[in-house]
Amino acid sequence: MLKKLLLACVCVAVLASAGSGLWVWQGLQGLKKPVVLEEPLLFDVPQGSSFIEVVGRLEAEGLVSDRLWLRLYGRLEPEQTRIKAGQYEFLDGMSPRDMIGVMVSGDTKHWYVQFIEGWTFKDMRAALAQAERLQKITGEWTSEQVMAAVGAEGEHPEGRFFPDTYAFTSSETDLDLLKRAFNRMETVLAEEWAAREEGLPYDNPYEALIMASIVERETGAPHEREQVAGVFVRRLQKGMRLQTDPTVIYGMGDSYQGRIGRKDLRTHTPYNTYRINGLPPTPIALPGREAIHAALHPDDGDALYFVARGDGTHKFSRTLAEHQKAVREFQLNRREDYRSSPAPKNSDSDEDAG
């Protein structure tokens, strides 16, 4: 009788143990099941948050039915408790274990802001002001304050930031991106300057940057950059004025309304290259690497003039007579679908380069 009782007890214990083991196994397996989300969910992990705190919030958000299983999972896999602070994006179909894995890897959610080639510093700051999830601390700063903060106190901001697409997290600020763009331009300019051709009419990398910004604004056709740069380089070498519309437009500031008149070409500003000799005092836009490369590797042709064809490209000419003929063909008798890239053109002077 006693043997039967002991046998029964053993059987009950074995069954209970097996049942408990099955229960635990099922609970842990449940952490692999996909969670249904109608839309991506942003989940914040503040600095200093513990694994237990995060697990409790996952339960509160309905991402796990019972925190017990995640706590047990953490006991069994201690390395999976080393969650990093940040903002994470959880997508439909992710399991609780997937979510933990994302937080352990520190794969935080990123947003993006783009600075376009040919933009001005003003355009770039406007893009930063509109960027979602980006912490804004420079919104009310002057240009001088921005330049001091990026490590270039007293320097002009135009053209000093590299145009590109920049990823950022919710913990970053607009100043962080400004510093990254500034440092990136410093690096690119130094690399291109080190590999420049000989005999160029620049005394320093900054003058090359000024030229690159003009090239960037003069053409949106990539294959023309070296040709445009070649025209301007030869004009500088011959002592000719650059006579390029984008510099005039920049000097006009907010008064520019889409068209340049004779009065604008005659008005003296530091940027009116119809009236000043050499380069303007600063860049006029954000040049990309290709424009910088073109400014430092201009073509070796003999053209001294160019005029917009109306299809986004230009007609290049060696002599003033050829150029005047091209102006009559493409400017004075414009086709209905005429366009000039990237800025509207109006060549009121027969001797302009472009």
Side-chain angles (χ1 to χ4, degrees):
M1 182 65 180
L2 182 57
K3 288 184 179 181
K4 290 183 178 181
L5 182 58
L6 288 173
L7 181 60
C9 289
V10 170
C11 290
V12 169
V14 170
L15 291 173
S17 177
S20 297
L22 178 62
W23 176 65
V24 170
W25 182 82
Q26 289 177 332
L28 292 175
Q29 287 298 110
L31 298 179
K32 298 180 181 179
K33 291 183 179 179
V35 175
V36 177
L37 296 173
E38 294 184 1
E39 59 184 20
L41 174 68
L42 292 178
F43 188 83
D44 283 300
V45 179
Q47 195 71 39
S49 298
S50 69
F51 179 76
I52 299 302
E53 291 171 334
V54 171
V55 166
R57 290 189 50 227
L58 288 173
E59 183 185 55
E61 293 279 355
L63 300 173
V64 61
S65 58
D66 191 335
R67 74 181 76 182
L68 168 67
W69 303 117
L70 277 178
R71 294 181 67 173
L72 181 57
Y73 174 66
R75 291 289 186 92
L76 296 174
E77 304 285 348
E79 68 278 2
Q80 295 300 305
T81 65
R82 297 165 187 162
I83 287 176
K84 299 177 178 63
Q87 189 169 58
Y88 299 90
E89 183 178 47
F90 297 155
L91 305 175
D92 181 51
M94 291 179 70
S95 70
R97 285 184 59 170
D98 292 334
M99 297 172 187
I100 292 295
V102 166
M103 291 184 283
V104 170
S105 67
D107 186 14
T108 55
K109 168 67 177 176
H110 286 77
W111 287 267
Y112 300 88
V113 64
Q114 188 175 26
F115 303 147
I116 306 296
E117 292 90 345
W119 272 12
T120 63
F121 181 61
K122 181 179 179 180
D123 295 329
M124 189 181 71
R125 294 194 71 181
L128 287 173
Q130 296 169 7
E132 296 183 3
R133 302 286 177 175
L134 181 64
Q135 296 182 45
K136 318 295 194 315
I137 65 174
T138 71
E140 302 300 321
W141 289 12
T142 64
S143 297
E144 292 76 13
Q145 289 174 308
V146 170
M147 294 307 289
V150 300
E153 186 172 5
E155 298 181 22
H156 197 282
E158 200 66 77
R160 301 299 301 278
F161 300 85
F162 191 74
D164 204 348
T165 299
Y166 292 89
F168 63 91
T169 66
S170 60
S171 64
E172 292 184 280
T173 70
D174 52 357
L175 180 57
D176 292 325
L177 296 189
L178 285 166
K179 287 180 177 179
R180 284 163 57 188
F182 178 82
N183 292 333
R184 177 65 174 150
M185 179 60 84
E186 292 283 281
T187 298
V188 170
L189 184 59
E191 291 172 350
E192 293 294 337
W193 178 259
R196 69 189 183 281
E197 292 185 4
E198 297 296 326
L200 297 174
Y202 315 127
D203 292 332
N204 50 60
Y206 188 64
E207 290 186 355
L209 186 67
I210 295 173
M211 177 64 82
S213 73
I214 298 173
V215 172
E216 189 69 75
R217 289 294 297 152
E218 270 289 8
T219 182
H223 68 279
E224 287 189 347
R225 291 191 180 106
E226 283 77 12
Q227 287 179 279
V228 169
V231 168
F232 289 139
V233 164
R234 284 186 286 277
R235 289 177 77 95
L236 286 178
Q237 290 171 333
K238 291 177 179 292
M240 299 173 68
R241 289 177 175 172
L242 294 183
Q243 296 183 318
T244 170
D245 292 355
T247 63
V248 178
I249 292 169
Y250 186 82
M252 293 171 67
D254 293 336
S255 67
Y256 176 68
Q257 298 297 318
R259 188 176 179 82
I260 304 175
R262 289 184 181 275
K263 178 182 177 182
D264 301 312
L265 297 179
R266 296 192 184 102
T267 300
H268 191 286
T269 76
Y271 294 89
N272 186 348
T273 51
Y274 289 85
R275 298 299 304 275
I276 67 169
N277 298 321
L279 294 165
T282 74
I284 61 171
L286 306 178
R289 182 186 279 272
E290 292 78 8
I292 296 172
H293 185 84
L296 293 166
H297 298 82
D299 83 331
D300 58 357
D302 53 8
L304 291 172
Y305 309 89
F306 60 85
V307 64
R309 296 176 184 271
D311 62 356
T313 65
H314 296 84
K315 169 67 175 178
F316 294 84
S317 303
R318 293 184 303 105
T319 67
L320 178 58
E322 291 176 358
H323 177 62
Q324 289 174 330
K325 180 181 178 182
V327 168
R328 289 192 294 272
E329 179 180 358
F330 297 110
Q331 291 281 311
L332 302 183
N333 299 300
R334 294 185 177 185
R335 45 199 264 190
E336 290 186 4
D337 62 345
Y338 179 94
R339 68 180 181 85
S340 177
S341 177
K345 299 296 229 183
N346 179 33
S347 296
D348 289 328
S349 168
D350 288 337
E351 298 184 9
D352 62 330

